[in-house]
């Protein structure tokens, strides 16, 4: 094989093999992260007091908090289907103290099929209520082109960022959202899907890069073999001539 093609094939083999190793390492990182999440979920319930918390204090922990829902601070997250039915997630602010508020994803509400802007009735407890749930960085994240569907002031939005909503409303929000799990008689559905690690996708990419690296290596060996055969047959031809 000529030096330049041989070098290019060698570099391609090294590159694809390195990409396969990188995908394997990412899969391991995801599995480690998933194990940490599952460990946090199994930890005892954390009772939140009247103080500020960081996201790292409570991330993926089961928490309990008592407060009062602010019904005028509610956002409906659109395009959240359940069993192929369209619906919303109901995200409402819960006031713990005058200086501490936390967002609660209260659950899923079916959408009125006749009018997508019409909100079906649901109950909101009056007075103090105890909420239990899982602390997450955001209430739910859906694919969105641009941010026009999540603009400030919209009651029905595609996504909701905690920090942006705090600036929009001037509420002293905690930097996380509680995915409510306990029943408060509101008839909202709360069978939250378990978070997936995503490692399977990385393993798939790893297999693709490994296969490509192997194919390139075999191609290089075949070309080298054919080149070697040609070089060994040339002297014999000269001898017969």
């Amino acid at each position: 094989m000529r030096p330049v093609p041989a070098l290019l094939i060698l570099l391609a083999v090294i590159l694809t093999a390195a990409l396969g190793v990188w995908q394997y390492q990412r899969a391991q990182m995801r599995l480690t992260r998933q194990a940490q999440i599952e460990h946090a979920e199994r930890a005892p319930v954390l009772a939140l007091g009247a103080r500020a918390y960081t996201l790292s204090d409570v991330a993926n922990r089961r928490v309990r908090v008592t407060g009062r829902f602010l019904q005028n601070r509610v956002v409906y997250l659109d395009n959240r289907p359940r069993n192929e039915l369209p619906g919303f997630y109901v995200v409402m602010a819960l006031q713990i103290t005058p200086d501490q508020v936390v967002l609660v994803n209260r659950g899923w509400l079916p959408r009125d099929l006749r009018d997508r802007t019409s909100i079906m009735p649901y109950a909101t407890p009056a007075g103090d209520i105890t909420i239990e749930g899982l602390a997450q960085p955001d209430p739910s994240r859906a694919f969105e082109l641009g941010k026009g569907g999540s603009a400030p002031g919209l009651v029905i939005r595609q996504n909701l960022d905690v920090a942006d909503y705090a600036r929009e409303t001037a509420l002293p929000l905690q930097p996380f959202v509680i995915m409510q799990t306990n029943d408060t008689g509101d008839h909202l559905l709360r069978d939250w899907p378990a978070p997936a690690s995503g490692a399977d996708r990385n393993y798939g990419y790893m297999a693709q890069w490994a296969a490509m690296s192997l194919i390139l290596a075999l191609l290089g060996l075949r070309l080298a073999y054919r080149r070697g055969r040609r070089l060994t047959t040339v002297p014999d031809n000269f001898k017969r001539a």
Side-chain angles (χ1 to χ4, degrees):
M1 188 187 301
R2 294 183 177 85
V4 173
L7 180 60
L8 292 176
I9 290 179
L10 178 61
L11 290 176
V13 170
I14 293 174
L15 176 61
T16 51
L19 288 171
V21 171
W22 177 64
Q23 289 294 341
Y24 173 79
Q25 292 172 341
R26 283 183 60 82
Q28 296 306 303
M29 291 173 57
R30 289 178 182 272
L31 290 174
T32 299
R33 176 60 178 163
Q34 182 69 17
Q36 293 172 344
I37 290 174
E38 292 175 355
H39 176 75
E41 290 176 348
R42 292 193 298 268
V45 176
L46 176 64
L48 301 182
R51 70 175 182 86
Y53 294 84
T54 65
L55 179 59
S56 59
D57 291 334
V58 299
N60 303 303
R61 287 287 303 272
R62 292 183 298 136
V63 298
R64 180 188 300 116
V65 64
T66 298
R68 178 174 299 187
F69 279 122
L70 302 177
Q71 299 188 43
N72 63 330
R73 294 301 185 188
V74 59
V75 170
Y76 301 97
L77 298 183
D78 200 1
N79 296 320
R80 299 312 197 270
R82 181 181 182 275
N83 296 332
E84 300 183 358
L85 294 175
F88 305 101
Y89 280 156
V90 181
V91 181
M92 189 175 290
L94 182 79
Q95 186 162 34
I96 307 168
T97 69
D99 298 324
Q100 295 297 332
V101 180
V102 66
L103 290 178
V104 178
N105 188 338
R106 298 181 55 189
W108 184 84
L109 179 70
R111 195 175 76 191
D112 189 334
L113 298 179
R114 297 166 299 181
D115 181 3
R116 67 173 298 276
T117 63
S118 177
I119 304 300
M120 304 279 280
Y122 62 94
T124 297
D128 288 344
I129 185 74
T130 297
I131 299 297
E132 294 183 4
L134 195 66
Q136 294 288 325
D138 55 67
S140 170
R141 184 68 58 180
F143 177 75
E144 181 179 11
L145 289 173
K147 289 196 173 182
S150 303
L154 294 178
V155 176
I156 298 176
R157 310 186 189 189
Q158 187 71 9
N159 289 299
L160 181 66
D161 181 84
V162 177
D164 289 346
Y165 194 63
R167 287 189 290 269
E168 174 188 339
T169 60
L171 289 173
L173 290 177
Q174 299 276 15
F176 55 90
V177 177
I178 299 176
M179 310 294 285
Q180 182 180 341
T181 55
N182 64 319
D183 183 13
T184 53
D186 49 26
H187 305 297
L188 297 172
L189 300 179
R190 288 180 279 268
D191 50 346
W192 307 116
S197 68
D200 290 343
R201 182 173 56 184
N202 293 110
Y203 282 133
Y205 292 148
M206 179 195 71
Q208 292 175 9
W209 287 119
M212 189 176 297
S213 180
L214 178 60
I215 290 171
L216 289 170
L218 292 175
L219 176 63
L221 291 174
R222 178 173 175 79
L223 292 176
Y225 173 76
R226 293 179 61 182
R227 176 68 175 171
R229 286 288 301 272
R230 285 197 298 269
L231 290 176
T232 56
T233 57
V234 169
D236 292 339
N237 294 333
F238 277 119
K239 288 177 182 178
R240 287 196 295 268

